[in-house]
Amino acid sequence: MAVPVAFFAVFFAYPVAAIVARGLKTDGAWRLGRIGEVLAQSDVRHVLWFTSWQALASTALTLLVALPGAYVFARFDFPGKQLLRAVVTVPFVLPTVVVGTAFLALVGRGGLLDELWGVRLDTTVWAILLAHVFFNYAVVVRTVGGLWAQLDPRQEEAARMLGASRLRAWRQVTLPALAPAVAAAALMVFLFTFTSFGVVQILGGPTFSTLEVEIYRQTSQLFDLSTAAVLTMVQFAAVVAILAVHAWTVRRRETALRLVDAATTARRPRGAGQWALLAGVLGTVLVLLVLPLAVLVQRSLGASGFGYYRALADEDGGAFLVPPIEAIGNSLQYAVAATAIAVVIGALAATALTRRDAGRFVRGFDALLMLPLGVSAVTVGFGFLIALDEPPLDLRSSWILVPLAQALVGVPFVVRTVLPVLRAVDGRLREAAAVLGASPWRVWREVDLPMVRRALLVAAGFAFAVSLGEFGATVFIARPDNPTLPVAVARLLGRPGDMNYGQAMALSTILMLVCAVALVVLERLRTDRSGEF
C-alpha cells in the first residue's frame, strides 16, 4: 500500500488541500467565516440548487430510458448483441467535451434540429439532461444488466406458477433482487452528473452552471480562490456521502444474492411484445446514442469534404502556438504514460486490498480510491499549479504533470476491474506456492498474474480511454505548445467562425474514433469477471 498511498497523498490530497488552504487562509489565519458568507450568496445557492436538481433529473431520466435496455441485454439473445453492447458503451468512454460537442451539432445553433425544424435546445436544460442520459446510459445497462443476467429466472417462473401475475412476480421477486444494483447505478449516475463539467460548460453557456463549472469560473476567470475553496469543500462532502452510500449498496449486492451463469439465462425473444421491446431499445440506441455521433461526423466533413481536417495542419497564431493536429500526438503520448502509471498504482492497490489480513485502513482506502472521480478535477488541476511549484516537487514545467493528473482518474477504473478477479483467485494456490518456497513476488508472478493478465489489459484500455478524454484538470496544466485533444476542442469552440467550429468537430470525431477503437479492443479482451464496471 505504500506506493498507492504516497501517490494519492502527493498528487491528490496535497494539491486539493493546498488550494483550499490558499482560499481560506489570510496571513496564516483561517477565515472559516468565509464559508457562511459564500453559502449565503444567492447566486451560489442557485448553483447548488441547479447542480442538485439537474443531477436528480438526469438520474431519473437515465433510469427510465436505460432499464429496458438492461433487460434486453440481460434476457435476450439476438444477432449483433456484442456489437450493440460495444456501441452502447462508446458514449461512456467518450470525453465529456466530445459529448457536449456532439449534442451541440445536434441541438445547437445551425445543428440538425435547427436546420430541419428550427428547434434549438442548446440554451435549455433539456440539452444537458439528454447529454447526461447519452453519457450514462451504459452505466445502467452494464451495472443492472450484468446482475439481471445472473438472476435465476426460475424464481420468477415459480411465482407465476403459484398464481402471481407477470407484473406482481417482477415486483415482488425480481425487483427486490435488482434493487441494490439499481441503487448502485443510480448513485454512480448521480455522481457523474452532480460533478458534470464539460457537458455543462459547452451546452449550458452563461445560463446554467454546476458546482464544477462555477469552481472553474471562480478560479480561472474571477480569481476568487476563497469562493472556489468553499465550493470545493461542499462538492467534496457531497461526493464522500454519495460514495459511502454506493459502497453500502455494492456490499449488499455482493452478499445477498445467489447467482447463476449469465450464459444460461439469455434466449431469443418470443412473441410480439418481446420483439417490440427489442425494437424499441434498438430505436432508442439509434436515436439517443448513434444519431448525435453521426451528426458530429457529418458536421466535421461539412460541405468541403475533408477541408476541416486539412485545416488542422495549418499554423495557428491565435489560441494555439502549434498546428491543432499536434494535439493528437500529444494526447496519445500523455494517455500512454498515464495508463502506465494508473496500471502500476491500481494493480498494487488491488493486490493489497485482496489480502485476508488487510487492516481497517486498507479496506477504507478502497473507498477513497473512488474520490478522484467525484472531487473537482478543476481543483486538482489548479492545485497542481499551486502545490507542485517548489523543489523537490517543482513540476510546473515538466511534461509528466499532465499524465499524473490523468492517472488519478484512471486508477479507480483499474482497481474496480482488477479487484474482482484477484478476489476470485483461490488463496490455497498462493499458500501452496509459498509452502514450496516461492517468494511473495514469485507467487504473484506465477499464480496471480496469469489469471489477472486479461483483466489488466482491460483495465489498461479503460485507463487509456479516460486519460485521453480528461479535461477538467488538463485545461489548467496543458501548455499552449502541447495542447491535448479535449483542450484543443474547447479552445476552438470558444472562438468565432465556421472554420474554428468545423475544426472542433473534426478533432472531436478523431477523439471519438480513437476511444471507439480502444473500446472494441476491450470487448475482445473482456472476461465475465472483468467486463462490467
Side-chain angles (χ1 to χ4, degrees):
M1 285 299 296
V3 175
V5 169
F7 177 80
F8 274 83
V10 174
F11 298 113
F12 178 68
Y14 177 46
V16 172
I19 194 170
V20 171
R22 180 69 65 90
L24 294 181
K25 289 182 71 174
T26 302
D27 297 328
W30 287 93
R31 300 167 54 203
L32 298 182
R34 181 60 180 160
I35 298 176
E37 295 174 3
V38 171
L39 296 180
Q41 297 175 12
S42 59
D43 55 341
V44 171
R45 291 200 302 270
H46 176 74
V47 169
L48 291 172
W49 167 247
F50 176 75
T51 302
S52 301
W53 86 257
Q54 67 81 26
L56 287 171
S58 297
T59 302
L61 191 59
T62 302
L63 290 175
L64 180 65
V65 173
L67 282 176
Y71 175 79
V72 165
F73 278 101
R75 294 303 196 204
F76 291 171
D77 186 18
F78 52 91
K81 182 177 178 179
Q82 293 303 319
L83 176 62
L84 189 64
R85 185 192 296 272
V87 170
V88 164
T89 314
V90 164
F92 180 76
V93 300
L94 286 180
T96 55
V97 171
V98 174
V99 175
T101 306
F103 272 81
L104 192 65
L106 180 64
V107 303
R109 180 179 59 85
L112 181 65
L113 296 185
D114 191 15
E115 290 183 352
L116 294 179
W117 298 295
V119 175
R120 287 182 58 188
L121 299 177
D122 59 323
T123 56
T124 70
V125 73
W126 281 106
I128 296 173
L129 298 181
L130 291 175
H132 283 161
V133 175
F134 169 91
F135 183 78
N136 294 292
Y137 185 92
V139 175
V140 177
V141 169
R142 292 275 189 158
T143 304
V144 180
L147 178 61
W148 210 333
Q150 294 179 280
L151 292 181
D152 192 345
R154 291 173 296 184
Q155 297 176 353
E156 191 172 324
E157 292 169 1
R160 294 289 308 281
M161 292 181 63
L162 292 173
S165 64
R166 184 182 299 275
L167 177 61
R168 185 179 179 186
W170 182 85
R171 189 178 69 248
Q172 295 188 351
V173 177
T174 304
L175 183 59
L178 285 177
V182 174
L187 285 167
M188 289 308 296
V189 173
F190 184 85
L191 174 65
F192 290 140
T193 53
F194 187 85
T195 58
S196 182
F197 177 57
V199 168
V200 180
Q201 177 79 353
I202 292 175
L203 296 176
T207 307
F208 302 107
S209 179
T210 57
L211 269 174
E212 186 83 352
V213 174
E214 188 63 19
I215 292 171
Y216 173 77
R217 189 175 76 90
Q218 295 290 341
T219 303
S220 65
Q221 298 177 11
L222 303 180
F223 304 104
D224 188 348
L225 294 186
S226 62
T227 299
V230 172
L231 296 181
T232 297
M233 294 170 64
V234 171
Q235 182 165 309
F236 182 82
V239 167
V240 169
I242 295 169
L243 290 178
V245 177
H246 180 265
W248 178 73
T249 59
V250 169
R251 283 197 298 270
R252 283 188 60 198
R253 184 177 66 177
E254 290 179 346
T255 58
L257 299 174
R258 291 183 179 180
L259 306 178
V260 298
D261 186 358
T264 64
T265 62
R267 54 178 173 76
R268 292 185 65 84
R270 300 172 184 173
Q274 293 187 355
W275 282 106
L277 177 60
L278 176 58
V281 170
L282 291 176
T284 300
V285 170
L286 288 175
V287 174
L288 182 64
L289 306 185
V290 177
L291 181 59
L293 299 180
V295 173
L296 175 65
V297 175
Q298 185 268 330
R299 287 292 188 271
S300 73
L301 295 173
S304 58
F306 291 93
Y308 294 139
Y309 290 89
R310 288 191 292 268
L312 294 175
D314 296 340
E315 294 287 342
D316 187 287
F320 302 96
L321 300 179
V322 295
I325 198 171
E326 292 193 12
I328 301 173
N330 296 334
S331 287
L332 293 175
Q333 293 173 18
Y334 288 145
V336 169
T339 300
I341 297 171
V343 168
V344 171
I345 300 298
L348 288 173
T351 302
L353 291 170
T354 57
R355 290 181 60 88
R356 294 182 179 179
D357 58 348
R360 183 176 298 177
F361 169 76
V362 175
R363 291 192 297 269
F365 190 65
D366 185 16
L368 295 178
L369 289 170
M370 295 290 288
L371 282 178
L373 294 181
V375 173
S376 170
V378 171
T379 300
V380 173
F382 198 65
F384 269 34
L385 297 180
I386 291 176
L388 306 180
D389 62 344
E390 298 179 359
L393 287 175
D394 187 1
L395 302 177
R396 288 177 300 174
S397 59
S398 174
W399 66 273
I400 197 64
L401 204 60
V402 174
L404 286 172
Q406 295 174 342
L408 284 171
V409 184
V411 168
F413 287 91
V414 175
V415 175
R416 295 273 76 81
T417 305
V418 175
L419 190 57
V421 182
L422 282 175
R423 283 176 173 166
V425 177
D426 192 340
R428 292 172 297 180
L429 296 176
R430 301 188 183 103
E431 294 169 1
V435 169
L436 293 173
S439 65
W441 164 247
R442 187 175 181 185
V443 170
W444 190 88
R445 189 178 71 244
E446 298 191 9
V447 176
D448 293 77
L449 183 59
M451 297 184 180
V452 81
R453 183 182 293 114
R454 294 186 72 185
L456 277 174
L457 292 174
V458 172
F462 271 118
F464 178 81
V466 298
S467 299
L468 198 67
E470 204 288 322
F471 175 63
T474 309
V475 70
F476 279 97
I477 57 181
R479 290 160 45 182
D481 57 340
N482 285 293
T484 63
L485 278 170
V487 172
V489 170
R491 289 180 183 173
L492 287 168
L493 287 176
R495 303 170 65 187
D498 291 339
M499 179 58 70
N500 291 318
Y501 178 82
Q503 287 179 289
M505 297 294 166
L507 281 179
S508 297
T509 301
I510 293 171
L511 190 50
M512 176 193 71
L513 292 176
V514 174
C515 291
V517 169
L519 184 63
V520 170
V521 174
L522 288 184
E523 283 296 316
R524 291 188 175 274
L525 294 173
R526 186 175 62 88
T527 64
D528 288 340
R529 293 186 181 272
S530 63
E532 310 301 335
F533 8 96

